[in-house]
Amino acid sequence: MYTVLGATGHIGSVITKALLDKGEKVRVVGRHTGRLQPFVEKGAEAFVADVTDAQALANAFSDSRAAFLMIPPSPTSLDYRADQELASDAISAAVKSSGLQYSVNLSSIGAQAANGAGPISGLYNSEKKLNALDKLNVLHLRPAYFFENHLLASGMIQMMGIYAGALKPDLRIPMISTTDIGVYAAERLLKLDFNGKQTRELLGERDLNMSEVATLISRALNKIDLRYVQFSYDQVEQVMLQMDTPAKTAACFIEMLHGFNTGICVGLEPRTAGNTTPTKIESFILEAFVPAYQAKAVSA
């Protein structure tokens, strides 16, 4: 039996499908029964629990060969960092009381930063809590900046004709598909070829900067004038507040963006075949970004 937290998300759903396709028993954990039902129809066992409920999570981990651990994102949280601590406290307590021996834990590139990295510093704390559990063998996955983050720009491009954000336009950072993260995590869960406390960065197919991404999007949308524009941190924070992001949570994500720009949120591993994943940003744009953009255009 494998237990998967965040089973309905971009990464957890890929892991769950991969494990089920291999004929494994899978316990899918989520907050809503209805969203878990498609996995139940494919043979999974549904378990409804909140990630801040240590006792429920301990029950979910019971009799598991291994588990995929993660703190589900909650952009509407009134205090993102405080909620991260509640979740990581509960997850680590549940792992300890259940006797779970193996886990793959979703962290992030830059999670070596104890401070100054917004939600990524919360993942630093999560790693430390799991590392303190003597009997747990844990592999912390530290993936790069998600391709899926670019989907947030589709509405902006339609309304303003630009792709704007706080990241520096020429800052080259690794970017990755969440599908590739899920595939990699599933492989390691099936093999359980790690011991003790380990980390592995996942760096995507190549490093990119925001100007390059905007150029690739412009070609796919046939919008030759589309370009990336760097906004100030205050401008981006105001946009987030206008979109009803709570103030503390907005400030937390601004800190993360500042961390990328200043080198706080940076990888430690050199790029190798082992931490390079296959999906190209061009494929993601054609298969995910363009359809999302077109769907918004139709509904507008």
Side-chain angles (χ1 to χ4, degrees):
M1 173 71 75
Y2 290 92
T3 297
V4 179
L5 300 189
T8 61
H10 288 296
I11 298 170
S13 60
V14 173
I15 294 170
T16 300
K17 182 180 184 301
L19 294 175
L20 290 173
D21 286 348
K22 289 291 186 179
E24 300 290 344
K25 295 181 179 179
V26 183
R27 182 178 292 139
V28 288
V29 181
R31 288 171 287 189
H32 306 288
T33 303
R35 294 188 64 189
L36 297 173
Q37 192 58 34
F39 298 112
V40 173
E41 293 171 0
K42 295 177 181 178
E45 172 191 330
F47 194 103
V48 177
D50 190 278
V51 290
T52 61
D53 188 337
Q55 184 56 59
L57 293 181
N59 293 337
F61 296 149
S62 66
D63 303 322
S64 291
R65 180 172 185 244
F68 175 70
L69 308 177
M70 68 168 295
I71 301 174
S74 181
T76 59
S77 167
L78 293 178
D79 189 336
Y80 198 97
R81 284 287 294 107
D83 286 347
Q84 277 186 306
E85 295 304 315
L86 291 174
S88 59
D89 282 346
I91 291 170
S92 58
V95 169
K96 182 176 181 179
S97 63
S98 68
L100 183 72
Q101 294 186 352
Y102 282 92
S103 70
V104 171
N105 175 53
L106 181 64
S107 186
S108 171
I109 195 168
Q112 71 278 358
N115 298 291
I120 294 177
S121 292
L123 299 177
Y124 167 92
N125 288 345
S126 176
E127 287 190 15
K128 293 301 181 186
K129 292 171 187 178
L130 294 173
N131 287 346
L133 304 178
D134 292 338
K135 296 181 180 180
L136 177 68
N137 300 290
V138 58
L139 173 64
H140 301 293
L141 294 186
R142 294 181 175 180
Y145 190 88
F146 293 173
F147 287 169
E148 284 73 9
N149 292 337
H150 299 300
L151 294 173
L152 298 173
S154 58
M156 178 185 298
I157 293 171
Q158 288 178 357
M159 291 186 294
M160 301 173 62
I162 59 171
Y163 184 172
L167 291 177
K168 295 177 181 178
D170 58 351
L171 176 70
R172 297 186 68 80
I173 59 174
M175 299 185 188
I176 190 170
S177 161
T178 54
T179 297
D180 286 354
I181 302 169
V183 169
Y184 184 89
E187 289 175 354
R188 300 305 294 271
L189 284 167
L190 288 166
K191 293 178 180 178
L192 294 185
D193 55 354
F194 53 91
N195 291 287
K197 322 302 180 187
Q198 298 182 19
T199 62
R200 162 62 78 179
E201 292 179 0
L202 295 177
L203 303 182
E205 186 264 339
R206 69 185 190 273
D207 292 0
L208 295 155
N209 64 45
M210 297 300 287
S211 290
E212 290 171 334
V213 173
T215 296
L216 292 171
I217 291 173
S218 73
R219 292 173 184 168
L221 297 178
N222 196 28
K223 290 181 174 291
I224 58 173
D225 294 330
L226 176 64
R227 59 194 177 91
Y228 177 79
V229 178
Q230 184 180 7
F231 278 5
S232 71
Y233 297 120
D234 286 344
Q235 285 175 306
V236 174
E237 189 167 7
Q238 286 304 310
V239 170
M240 295 178 71
L241 294 174
Q242 290 168 11
M243 295 173 65
D244 296 326
T245 305
K248 279 192 174 182
T249 294
C252 180
F253 280 90
I254 293 299
E255 182 180 83
M256 180 187 72
L257 295 169
H258 180 268
F260 275 105
N261 281 339
T262 59
I264 294 173
C265 302
V266 66
L268 300 178
E269 298 179 18
R271 182 177 288 279
T272 66
N275 60 25
T276 296
T277 51
T279 303
K280 296 177 180 290
I281 185 70
E282 291 89 347
S283 298
F284 171 80
I285 290 171
L286 289 175
E287 296 168 11
F289 189 94
V290 171
Y293 178 89
Q294 292 171 339
K296 276 189 177 292
V298 169
S299 62

